Amino acid sequence: MPKFRIDRIDRKILDALQRDGRMANNDLAAEVGLSPSPCLRRVKALEDAGVIRTYVALVDPAAVNLPVNVFVNVTLERQVEDRLDAFEAAVMERPEVLECYLMTGEADYLLRVVVPDLPTYERFLKEYLTRIPGIASIRSSFALKQVRYDTALPLHHCET
Amino acid sequence: MPKFRIDRIDRKILDALQRDGRMANNDLAAEVGLSPSPCLRRVKALEDAGVIRTYVALVDPAAVNLPVNVFVNVTLERQVEDRLDAFEAAVMERPEVLECYLMTGEADYLLRVVVPDLPTYERFLKEYLTRIPGIASIRSSFALKQVRYDTALPLHHCET
DNA sequence: ACTGAAATGGCGCGACC
DNA sequence: GGTCGCGCCATTTCAGT
């Protein structure tokens, strides 16, 4: 819905800020071939339009003892929309659920859950997930290794 | 491996920066109950220790015409380690692959791929993925909706 | 040794051309 | 889109506990 005209310079700006969100505006301006002021104007416009949602620090999961990634396939009972909304609301409450997608096919969801260890996941599963009403089935898959985790969207298709 | 002692104040700092990676050090200091100087020292220490990996801007996928999330289950032929390394190296080359996990069970991977539309995904699949040697099977699942996408790790278990 | 305070230099950010 | 200028913030140095 936010139809925002993105030209080549905006694309460069987004590429740079997706790599380093704290880059100084002066450096950013130099990198995209602008002087600081119009560069900052563009950044603000991108923020205001919602193209740039936020700036965040990315923390190393291993360094804070969160090595376990679990992917959870949740199938809901075939029912109407309020069930979906209720489930989604429940999912938003828990910070361990970093990602949640409504998938095609049946009414099912894919979650990525991050926890310090398996007992913690078990507790999350038994004491929270299974208690959400309307759930037909839950299947958990565990990741041995996070091979790649990138937040930078590929923008090479945005051309003006 | 980076065994870093994280106390309650560090945890507050990480929580804050995971929410707003551009927060001014003065504000951050106030929020965690420190004066600016020691607060900044702690932030630098967290960066140097690799607890804070990077700072990034998060871009709205819809705003840049990247509405399609595909989850790809890739099973490799039962073979040895160099196949895995080769596959992982291939995965690192493509910016469309935002996440990749080595899963338990068989030698298979779960990828999250972001593309502007289905034809683009089809091209990615046919012209790239299927050409990686050692692949036994590929199964693609499409997301109808990104219900949640969070990058902030839950740190409530970190207590000192 | 680690924390809090003061001083300086650079940068973000607005007004105007 | 570029130039100018003000004010604030990041950063270093110093003192305190």
Side-chain angles (χ1 to χ4, degrees):
Chain A
M1 73 194 63
K3 274 288 173 253
F4 192 87
R5 300 287 294 175
I6 289 175
D7 63 12
R8 222 180 82 267
I9 294 183
D10 288 328
R11 198 174 81 63
K12 281 189 188 178
I13 290 175
L14 293 175
D15 274 331
L17 289 179
Q18 282 193 128
R19 276 186 280 104
D20 179 4
R22 273 198 159 181
M23 178 175 298
N25 184 56
N26 287 343
D27 299 342
L28 179 61
E31 191 165 319
V32 304
L34 246 56
S35 66
S37 192
C39 179
L40 185 60
R41 254 200 302 272
R42 279 170 179 265
V43 172
K44 293 300 173 194
L46 289 167
E47 292 170 357
D48 292 344
V51 179
I52 297 177
R53 285 197 304 135
T54 54
Y55 300 88
V56 298
L58 296 183
V59 171
D60 179 12
V64 292
N65 278 302
L66 285 169
V68 180
N69 274 282
V70 190
F71 286 89
V72 192
N73 281 283
V74 177
T75 308
L76 299 192
E77 298 163 358
R78 300 188 170 282
Q79 260 153 348
V80 265
E81 199 166 318
D82 21 328
R83 284 298 194 195
L84 302 185
D85 290 346
F87 178 77
E88 293 181 11
V91 151
M92 296 304 285
E93 280 180 358
R94 300 289 299 211
E96 303 95 320
V97 182
L98 292 193
E99 298 180 56
C100 174
Y101 300 86
L102 175 60
M103 304 300 291
T104 53
E106 310 85 53
D108 56 10
Y109 288 92
L110 177 61
L111 316 183
R112 181 166 72 93
V113 176
V114 171
V115 286
D117 47 45
L118 291 185
T120 304
Y121 178 68
E122 196 185 342
R123 259 189 292 119
F124 170 76
L125 191 62
K126 292 195 173 173
E127 296 176 10
Y128 191 76
L129 256 195
T130 59
R131 295 187 183 172
I132 299 174
I135 290 184
S137 81
I138 297 176
R139 191 168 53 85
S140 305
S141 310
F142 298 88
L144 287 172
K145 177 187 172 190
Q146 188 171 51
V147 176
R148 181 171 190 177
Y149 180 73
D150 223 312
T151 58
L153 301 175
L155 301 176
H156 38 262
H157 68 288
C158 292
E159 312 212 337
T160 302
Chain B
M1 71 191 61
K3 272 287 171 262
F4 191 86
R5 299 286 295 176
I6 290 174
D7 63 11
R8 221 179 83 265
I9 294 181
D10 288 327
R11 196 174 83 63
K12 281 189 187 176
I13 290 175
L14 292 175
D15 274 332
L17 289 178
Q18 282 192 129
R19 274 185 280 106
D20 179 3
R22 273 199 160 180
M23 178 175 298
N25 184 56
N26 287 344
D27 298 342
L28 179 61
E31 191 165 321
V32 304
L34 246 55
S35 67
S37 183
C39 179
L40 186 59
R41 248 199 307 275
R42 279 168 179 266
V43 172
K44 293 299 174 195
L46 289 166
E47 291 170 358
D48 292 343
V51 179
I52 297 177
R53 286 197 302 136
T54 54
Y55 300 88
V56 299
L58 296 183
V59 171
D60 179 12
V64 292
N65 278 302
L66 285 169
V68 180
N69 275 282
V70 190
F71 286 88
V72 192
N73 282 281
V74 177
T75 307
L76 299 191
E77 298 164 356
R78 300 191 170 279
Q79 260 154 349
V80 264
E81 199 166 319
D82 22 325
R83 284 298 195 197
L84 301 185
D85 290 346
F87 178 77
E88 292 182 10
V91 151
M92 296 303 285
E93 281 180 358
R94 301 289 299 213
E96 304 95 319
V97 182
L98 292 194
E99 299 180 56
C100 173
Y101 300 86
L102 176 60
M103 304 300 290
T104 55
E106 309 85 54
D108 55 12
Y109 288 91
L110 177 61
L111 316 183
R112 180 166 73 92
V113 177
V114 172
V115 286
D117 46 45
L118 291 184
T120 304
Y121 178 69
E122 193 184 345
R123 263 190 289 119
F124 169 76
L125 191 62
K126 291 195 173 172
E127 294 175 12
Y128 191 76
L129 256 194
T130 59
R131 293 186 184 175
I132 299 174
I135 289 184
S137 81
I138 297 176
R139 191 168 54 84
S140 305
S141 310
F142 298 88
L144 286 172
K145 176 188 173 189
Q146 189 172 52
V147 176
R148 181 171 189 177
Y149 180 72
D150 223 311
T151 58
L153 301 175
L155 301 177
H156 39 262
H157 67 290
C158 291
E159 312 212 334
T160 302

